[in-house]
């Protein structure tokens, strides 16, 4: 039993094709065999003259999403059975369809807010399952790993039906002529980036590419790495999926426990309630794992964007804290001033890196070795001493002229008015 998964953007057009004659008249007696319209009368609408209404019934949750709706919101799965085995009845195919939409999460059993779906037959030994990805509660079905889950469930159904071929007698060790495949290691680097090493043949490289890894060849040799923008939860899921496929291809895989879905529960936020700190840690990971100036610029932009960057958000939060302290307690003006000064220090820090995008884009170019040589001549303590904190920068400027300090703040952001402090 084999499943073929597709996505479409026109539910009505898809239904017209499935209920029509098909290519070279291959479609015979199209009919609905199962489905769930969450109150919509799909059984009555599943007729050639009512297909636009059936499509509208399936698309209703998608239309409610408005601008959040995906472009290709129609999920199509075509399942074929073994042509050398007896065909299944409509009732058996209906059970197969329900098991598949439940296995991938389109319509889990007992979920009142699941996606709407139908299953129809128009050819022998085949069923088509059509669903829309919007749930009744306004959520969206995430289709990551749907293909893998479909094939796993299809294989399980085929085994229950007795359609799987009998495994041949295993060859003796003396008859085996192929050399054992090397052990492939999948682990997280110190920066958090996920890397697969020792996948040196074309088959293992193809499997890793299919899972989502990107092949890299440099002075470290041939290796595969996940894009640095991959979310932490997706890193674990992709690494586990890659390990499953490699093991199915009879490769030995050493998967780090922190990347093994089967050996770990849902990872909790290591910083507990400090979600903002966790988000900044992700930005730090992206910066450390940047492989060129363009990657570094994109990661640093998360900090420096003039409207949405992390530094601007921190400045606004400190400024808001300063103003709200005064609102809550007129006598706490000294504490409010401290928060206000802290916001101004962040503005000063922003001004130091204004216009750095072009320079970051050139980082890692031909002159990188020369720059690294020059910087290595300075002791670590001296380099650290050259990193001036915002507080010390303010102290230096104020000691020279208060006017210069105000100009630096104005360069970082538009001027603002604030109420008098007592």
């Amino acid at each position: 039993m084999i499943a073929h998964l597709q996505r479409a953007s026109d539910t009505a057009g898809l239904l017209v094709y499935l209920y029509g004659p098909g290519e070279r008249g291959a479609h015979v007696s199209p009919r609905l065999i199962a489905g769930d319209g969450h109150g919509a009368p799909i059984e009555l609408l599943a007729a050639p003259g009512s297909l636009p209404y059936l499509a509208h019934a399936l698309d209703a949750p998608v239309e409610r999403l408005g601008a959040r709706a995906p472009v290709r919101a129609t999920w199509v799965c075509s399942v074929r059975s073994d042509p050398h085995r007896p065909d299944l009845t409509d009732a058996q195919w209906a059970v197969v369809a329900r098991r598949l939409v439940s296995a991938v999460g389109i319509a889990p059993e007992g979920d009142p807010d699941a996606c709407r779906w139908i299953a129809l037959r128009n050819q022998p030994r085949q069923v088509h399952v059509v669903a829309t990805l919007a749930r009744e509660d306004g959520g969206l079905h995430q289709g990551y790993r749907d293909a893998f889950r479909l094939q796993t469930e299809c294989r399980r159904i085929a085994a229950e039906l007795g359609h799987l071929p009998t495994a041949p007698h295993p060859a003796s060790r003396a008859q085996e002529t192929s050399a054992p495949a090397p052990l492939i290691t999948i682990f997280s680097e110190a920066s958090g980036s996920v890397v697969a090493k020792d996948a040196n043949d074309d088959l293992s490289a193809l499997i890793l590419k299919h899972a989502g890894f990107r092949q890299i060849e440099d002075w470290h040799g041939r290796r595969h790495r996940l894009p640095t923008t991959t979310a932490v939860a997706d890193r674990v899921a992709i690494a586990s999926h890659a390990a499953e496929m490699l093991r199915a291809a009879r490769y030995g895989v050493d998967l780090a426990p922190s990347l093994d879905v089967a050996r770990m529960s849902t990872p909790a936020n290591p910083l507990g309630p400090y979600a903002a700190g966790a988000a900044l840690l992700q930005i730090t990971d992206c910066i450390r794992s940047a492989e060129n100036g363009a990657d570094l610029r994109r990661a640093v932009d998360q900090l420096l964007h003039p409207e949405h960057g992390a530094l601007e958000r921190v400045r606004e939060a400190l400024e808001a804290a300063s103003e709200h302290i005064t609102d809550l307690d007129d006598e706490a003006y000294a504490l409010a001033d401290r928060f206000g000064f802290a916001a101004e220090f962040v503005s000063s820090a922003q001004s130091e890196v204004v216009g750095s995008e072009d320079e970051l884009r050139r980082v890692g170019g031909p002159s990188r070795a020369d720059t690294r040589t020059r910087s290595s001549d300075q002791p670590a303590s001296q380099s650290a001493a050259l990193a001036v904190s915002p507080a010390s920068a303010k102290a230096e400027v104020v000691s020279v002229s208060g006017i210069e300090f105000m100009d630096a703040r104005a360069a970082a952001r538009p001027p603002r008015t604030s109420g008098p402090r007592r």
Side-chain angles (χ1 to χ4, degrees):
M1 188 169 287
I2 299 175
H4 178 59
L5 186 60
Q6 300 179 79
R7 293 276 290 274
S9 57
D10 183 7
T11 307
L14 174 66
L15 293 178
V16 169
Y17 170 76
L18 293 176
Y19 274 89
E23 298 178 3
R24 297 182 294 277
H27 294 175
V28 179
S29 182
R31 57 199 181 275
L32 182 77
I33 61 171
D36 186 358
H38 290 276
I42 57 175
E43 294 82 2
L44 299 177
L45 300 176
S50 304
L51 295 183
Y53 301 100
L54 177 60
H56 180 72
L58 292 174
D59 285 337
V62 178
E63 294 172 356
R64 288 198 294 265
L65 294 179
R68 292 198 304 118
V71 176
R72 295 188 298 165
T74 306
W75 185 92
V76 190
C77 177
S78 302
V79 187
R80 299 194 309 273
S81 63
D82 188 344
H84 303 292
R85 303 284 182 172
D87 195 3
L88 305 181
T89 65
D90 283 2
Q92 289 174 313
W93 275 119
V95 173
V96 170
R98 289 190 181 93
R99 289 183 59 171
L100 293 181
V101 294
S102 177
V104 300
I106 289 285
E109 186 175 355
D111 186 352
D113 296 319
C115 301
R116 300 186 181 190
W117 65 277
I118 62 170
L120 61 95
R121 293 194 68 188
N122 55 20
Q123 294 184 62
R125 308 182 188 283
Q126 189 169 8
V127 67
H128 301 282
V129 183
V130 179
T132 45
L133 299 180
R135 292 171 49 85
E136 295 294 317
D137 57 6
L140 277 173
H141 169 71
Q142 302 300 325
Y144 176 69
R145 298 191 77 195
D146 276 3
F148 173 77
R149 294 189 178 102
L150 281 172
Q151 292 303 139
T152 302
E153 188 65 18
C154 282
R155 186 171 181 84
R156 186 178 294 116
I157 294 172
E160 294 173 5
L161 295 172
H163 288 189
L164 290 182
T166 305
H169 187 74
S172 65
R173 189 167 297 275
Q175 293 174 312
E176 294 179 355
T177 57
S178 60
L183 181 69
I184 298 174
T185 305
I186 303 178
F187 62 98
S188 293
E189 293 183 328
S191 64
S193 180
V194 177
V195 176
K197 295 183 65 176
D198 299 323
N200 298 319
D201 62 291
D202 293 337
L203 176 58
S204 60
L206 183 63
I207 291 174
L208 288 169
K209 180 181 178 181
H210 178 73
F213 283 77
R214 184 176 62 186
Q215 181 170 310
I216 300 172
E217 294 192 29
D218 52 21
W219 56 85
H220 292 294
R222 187 181 190 182
R223 57 206 168 96
H224 299 77
R225 181 196 296 271
L226 286 181
T228 55
T229 55
T230 306
V232 175
D234 289 343
R235 295 176 193 174
V236 176
I238 294 173
S240 296
H241 181 48
E244 290 174 4
M245 292 192 293
L246 288 168
R247 287 168 180 151
R250 303 187 67 181
Y251 287 93
V253 181
D254 181 10
L255 178 64
S258 60
L259 299 174
D260 192 348
V261 172
R263 297 175 60 182
M264 62 182 295
S265 58
T266 303
N269 179 7
L271 300 185
Y274 302 103
L280 286 174
L281 277 179
Q282 292 183 2
I283 297 176
T284 304
D285 289 343
C286 291
I287 292 174
R288 287 174 174 166
S289 58
E291 298 180 353
N292 51 55
D295 289 346
L296 180 60
R297 179 181 58 82
R298 282 191 291 270
V300 172
D301 184 59
Q302 300 293 319
L303 290 175
L304 307 184
H305 192 278
E307 295 182 9
H308 310 300
L311 282 180
E312 178 62 15
R313 295 284 86 87
V314 170
R315 185 196 66 77
E316 290 178 351
L318 290 171
E319 202 170 61
S322 172
E323 295 171 355
H324 201 57
I325 288 170
T326 304
D327 293 339
L328 294 176
D329 187 353
D330 291 340
E331 300 300 324
Y333 57 87
L335 178 62
D337 284 343
R338 288 165 61 189
F339 276 87
F341 291 149
E344 291 166 352
F345 296 159
V346 175
S347 295
S348 179
Q350 288 175 295
S351 69
E352 289 296 323
V353 288
V354 168
S356 61
E357 292 83 357
D358 293 337
E359 297 178 57
L360 285 172
R361 202 176 281 113
R362 292 193 295 269
V363 169
S367 62
R368 179 175 56 180
D370 298 337
T371 305
R372 186 166 56 247
T373 302
R374 289 195 300 269
S375 62
S376 63
D377 294 337
Q378 299 176 348
S381 59
Q382 183 179 352
S383 299
L386 293 177
V388 180
S389 68
S392 61
K394 173 182 179 296
E396 291 175 3
V397 176
V398 170
S399 65
V400 177
S401 168
I403 297 177
E404 292 182 6
F405 176 70
M406 294 301 294
D407 290 342
R409 291 188 339 219
R413 57 186 173 86
R416 63 181 179 87
T417 60
S418 59
R421 301 194 185 280
R422 299 192 299 158

